[in-house]
Amino acid sequence: MNYSQFLFSQLLRETNSYYNELPYDEMFSNYIGLYNEFTKSKFNCEEETEYQCILNFFNHNKVELLKF
């Protein structure tokens, strides 16, 4: 795990309480899918900090994140 992945996982835990209720194996597989989606998205850009890019991704996808 690199810093980007760690930051993504920690921010996901802080911004989505549903995520914390999942069993660890489901949490991990959902995290991997979301992280890959983030890295390919328009939100993963160099105009803002990585922290802000991740938060923007979560805010834009709030409804989908709650469903997993």
Side-chain angles (χ1 to χ4, degrees), residues 5-39:
Q5 294 167 324
F6 175 74
L7 179 61
F8 187 90
S9 69
Q10 296 307 301
L11 290 173
L12 180 58
R13 292 181 71 193
E14 288 180 21
T15 59
N16 191 331
S17 60
Y18 174 73
Y19 182 78
N20 294 323
E21 298 173 18
L22 293 173
Y24 289 125
D25 56 339
E26 288 181 42
M27 188 185 299
F28 179 75
S29 64
N30 283 315
Y31 154 75
I32 294 296
L34 284 172
Y35 182 74
N36 289 335
E37 187 177 326
F38 164 71
T39 60

Side-chain angles (χ1 to χ4, degrees), residues 33-63:
L34 284 172
Y35 182 74
N36 289 335
E37 187 177 326
F38 164 71
T39 60
K40 296 174 186 173
S41 75
K42 66 180 181 182
F43 298 100
N44 187 19
C45 63
E46 294 185 12
E47 287 82 38
E48 299 189 54
T49 65
E50 186 170 26
Y51 181 93
Q52 190 59 52
C53 288
I54 294 170
L55 289 180
N56 291 344
F57 175 78
F58 290 157
N59 288 332
H60 183 265
N61 295 297
K62 191 170 250 358
V63 174

